[in-house]
């Protein structure tokens, strides 16, 4: 079986020490099959969530420092109420008129640059990225796609082919990868030019191979690659992409909806305007909905030739949930909250790093933070085993995070946007204790 960085780096592989949990694991494996993965060496049986906390079957409380799906907090009452009201009134598809989808679309597009003026809906980020690839191919007339070397963009056939972090032989022949802008190991001032040069090289390869160049798809915080928030990276690359006749697709499934603290959308931090923007996970706080927002110019060729329909994409219940999420982000000032609490978290983590040599670079923006775990601080040698040990020890202390990066050594800290200052204290206290045990 091939190794998937995103699926297998932090997954259950053995036996659980609780008989009841082991019984549930066995039943799950029997009915779901072997493809599914559970987190942690000792999987967690969750039954309830509230805010930034999760509760297991025994009533134990966990600090959720990982889940961005419930972006405004697990079971937020405003979202729950909006979904309940709409579900009890009407839920159907977009071939009937309904004010909900129009009103939400106007609100969503108002948060983006003026040139991004139309939006299409699906159910998952995978579907949104799949749709974006179709639109790009029709607009450019070319097939070649560029992604970063450990990217993840979804699990349809088309986007599995552009998701190298899934491992195996999934990468398509029409796809080229470029190294992520590793700010920890690249000399200062060279990131942007180096990334643009790599994209230019990949474009040349695609054209030489006969695929031409359709698009660059990039997660604007390089989440799966290891979390690289440097905002200088994309502007020179965007110029390279446009000059070659391609389009820039910003995958905002991870950094979108205020998570970066600096802006509502990750691409705005970079000072670029993409041709298409894909949205997913946190859009409706757990209700499945996703979107492709784009310029009408890029959408025209597809829209004229392809009548698009997605049965559940943009349904009234999903639109009510998504609209309620925007309400909460605005009313509770969660973008500013993410900036302030995220900055505090990284300050505290850097204090820990000054005492624990296993922690290398601390980087991030807003409530998205990556912590390099290294075996040799001077050589900056990635320590996958050490990172996994930390993750599982934190789980045993009821603090939930995971890992990312090509070497699986970057602690991925991505809590709900309601993560509080006291949650920062809880997280750092437990991490400090774990590190004391391995120094």
């Amino acid at each position: 079986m091939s190794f998937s960085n995103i699926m297998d780096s932090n997954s259950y592989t053995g036996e659980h020490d609780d008989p009841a949990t082991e019984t549930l694991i066995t039943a799950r494996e029997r009915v779901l099959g072997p493809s599914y993965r559970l987190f942690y060496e000792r999987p967690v049986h969750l039954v309830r969530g509230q805010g930034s906390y999760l509760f297991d079957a025994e009533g134990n409380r966990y600090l959720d420092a990982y889940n961005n799906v419930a972006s405004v907090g697990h079971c937020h009452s405003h979202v729950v109420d909006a979904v309940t009201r709409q579900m009890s009134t009407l839920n159907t598809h977009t071939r009937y008129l309904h004010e909900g989808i129009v009103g939400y679309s106007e609100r969503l597009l108002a948060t983006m640059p003026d040139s991004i003026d139309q939006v299409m809906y699906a159910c998952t980020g995978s579907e949104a990225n799949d749709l974006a690839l179709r639109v790009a191919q029709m607009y450019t007339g070319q097939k070649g796609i560029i992604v970063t070397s450990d990217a993840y963009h979804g699990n349809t056939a088309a986007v599995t082919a552009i998701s190298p972090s899934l491992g195996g032989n999934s990468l398509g022949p029409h796809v080229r990868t470029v190294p992520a802008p590793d700010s920890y190991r690249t000399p200062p001032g060279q990131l942007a030019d180096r990334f643009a040069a790599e994209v230019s090289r990949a474009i040349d390869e695609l054209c030489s191979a006969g695929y031409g160049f359709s698009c660059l798809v990039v997660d604007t915080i390089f989440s799966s690659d290891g979390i690289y928030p440097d905002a200088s990276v994309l502007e020179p690359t965007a110029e390279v992409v446009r000059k070659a006749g391609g389009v820039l697709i910003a995958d905002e499934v991870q950094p979108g909806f205020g998570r970066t603290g600096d802006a509502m959308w990750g691409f705005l931090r970079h000072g670029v305007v993409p041709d298409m923007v894909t949205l997913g996970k946190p859009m409706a706080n757990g209700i499945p909905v996703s979107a492709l927002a784009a310029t009408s110019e890029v959408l025209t060729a597809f829209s004229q030739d392809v009548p698009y329909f997605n049965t559940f994409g943009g349904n009234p219940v999903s639109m009510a949930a998504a609209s309620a999420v925007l309400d909460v982000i605005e009313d509770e000032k969660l973008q500013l909250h993410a900036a302030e609490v995220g900055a505090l978290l990284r300050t505290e983590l850097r204090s820990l790093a000054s005492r624990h040599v296993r922690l290398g670079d601390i980087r991030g923006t807003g409530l998205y933070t990556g912590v390099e775990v290294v075996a040799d601080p001077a050589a900056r040698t990635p320590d996958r085993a050490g990172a996994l040990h930390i993750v599982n020890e934190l789980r045993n202390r009821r603090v939930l995070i995971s890992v990312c990066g090509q070497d699986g050594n970057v602690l991925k800290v991505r809590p709900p946007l309601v993560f509080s200052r006291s949650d920062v204290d809880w997280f750092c206290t437990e991490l400090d204790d774990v590190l004391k045990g391995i120094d």
Side-chain angles (χ1 to χ4, degrees):
M1 181 179 293
S2 65
F3 181 84
S4 165
N5 226 10
I6 196 168
M7 296 297 294
D8 293 318
S9 289
N10 174 31
S11 63
Y12 170 71
T13 58
E15 295 183 357
H16 203 283
D17 54 8
D18 174 61
T21 302
E22 184 64 31
T23 298
L24 183 57
I25 292 170
T26 301
R28 171 189 161 107
E29 291 175 346
R30 183 180 69 252
V31 296
L32 298 183
S35 287
Y36 284 83
R37 303 291 194 271
L38 285 163
F39 277 135
Y40 310 113
E41 291 175 354
R42 296 176 61 236
V44 187
H45 179 188
L46 299 174
V47 298
R48 186 166 66 90
Q50 187 64 51
S52 55
Y53 309 120
L54 291 164
F55 299 83
D56 69 15
E58 285 73 46
N60 298 306
R61 185 175 70 148
Y62 292 73
L63 178 63
D64 185 357
Y66 182 71
N67 285 293
N68 69 329
V69 176
S71 63
V72 299
H74 293 280
C75 303
H76 195 289
S77 60
H78 184 65
V79 181
V80 172
D81 290 346
V83 169
T84 303
R85 285 194 306 272
Q86 188 59 55
M87 182 65 83
S88 65
T89 305
L90 173 72
N91 195 29
T92 184
H93 54 69
T94 56
R95 296 195 71 182
Y96 300 107
L97 285 171
H98 195 271
E99 292 178 349
I101 191 171
V102 176
Y104 177 75
S105 299
E106 290 174 342
R107 290 183 69 187
L108 180 68
L109 292 171
T111 68
M112 297 190 180
D114 291 343
S115 60
I116 300 175
D117 57 351
Q118 292 182 348
V119 59
M120 304 173 74
Y121 292 97
C123 300
T124 67
S126 298
E127 287 181 284
N129 281 326
D130 188 299
L131 180 59
L133 297 184
R134 293 173 65 193
V135 171
Q137 183 173 341
M138 290 194 70
Y139 177 72
T140 63
Q142 308 297 327
K143 296 178 64 175
I145 302 167
I146 300 171
V147 295
T148 48
S149 57
D150 212 58
Y152 174 73
H153 295 292
N155 57 26
T156 69
V159 292
T160 293
I162 65 165
S163 297
S165 67
L166 288 174
N169 299 313
S170 62
L171 210 64
H174 61 298
V175 179
R176 296 294 181 273
T177 63
V178 295
D182 185 345
S183 54
Y184 187 41
R185 297 173 180 84
T186 303
Q190 295 184 19
L191 274 179
D193 288 343
R194 183 174 294 186
F195 190 66
E198 291 286 353
V199 170
S200 181
R201 173 195 57 76
I203 291 171
D204 290 342
E205 284 188 12
L206 286 168
C207 293
S208 296
Y211 295 108
F213 174 52
S214 172
C215 58
L216 168 68
V217 188
V218 61
D219 169 344
T220 54
I221 199 170
F222 303 93
S223 307
S224 297
D225 290 285
I227 309 170
Y228 300 109
D230 191 303
S232 71
V233 170
L234 284 185
E235 191 170 9
T237 297
E239 294 179 11
V240 170
V241 168
R242 267 62 179 267
K243 186 177 180 180
V247 297
L248 175 62
I249 301 173
D251 183 339
E252 292 285 329
V253 170
Q254 299 275 355
F257 291 97
R259 176 158 293 278
T260 69
D262 295 336
M264 185 67 164
W265 309 110
F267 66 82
L268 292 175
R269 299 179 61 250
H270 290 265
V272 301
V273 178
D275 302 284
M276 289 184 273
V277 182
T278 54
L279 314 172
K281 293 187 200 302
M283 192 170 174
N285 220 50
I287 296 295
V289 63
S290 64
L292 166 64
T295 67
S296 50
E297 176 189 352
V298 168
L299 282 177
T300 297
F302 181 87
S303 301
Q304 287 178 343
D305 292 342
V306 180
Y308 176 76
F309 176 62
N310 185 308
T311 302
F312 298 109
N315 71 75
V317 170
S318 292
M319 293 294 93
S323 186
V325 166
L326 287 185
D327 291 342
V328 176
I329 290 173
E330 294 168 5
D331 294 346
E332 298 185 12
K333 298 179 173 56
L334 290 185
Q335 182 182 315
L336 176 62
H337 180 81
E340 294 176 346
V341 176
L344 173 63
L345 173 61
R346 285 182 291 282
T347 296
E348 295 301 315
L349 287 171
R350 290 182 181 115
S351 177
L352 290 183
S354 70
R355 306 194 299 274
H356 301 288
V357 296
R358 304 293 292 276
L359 299 189
D361 196 28
I362 311 294
R363 55 181 178 264
T365 180
L367 280 171
Y368 215 138
T369 298
V371 181
E372 288 262 359
V373 180
V374 294
D376 182 342
R380 303 182 178 184
T381 309
D383 184 1
R384 180 189 294 267
L388 288 176
H389 176 76
I390 291 169
V391 166
N392 281 289
E393 283 300 304
L394 284 173
R395 173 262 175 266
N396 293 337
R397 295 163 179 265
R398 301 182 187 133
V399 174
L400 305 180
I401 62 169
S402 192
V403 292
C404 62
Q406 188 167 11
D407 296 297
N409 71 303
V410 179
L411 304 182
K412 187 177 187 178
V413 187
R414 183 194 56 184
L417 297 181
V418 294
F419 205 71
S420 69
R421 286 167 173 78
S422 62
D423 293 336
V424 171
D425 291 341
W426 181 358
F427 179 82
C428 291
T429 297
E430 296 297 346
L431 178 58
D432 189 22
D433 283 348
V434 169
L435 291 168
K436 287 175 182 176
I438 62 176
D439 283 349

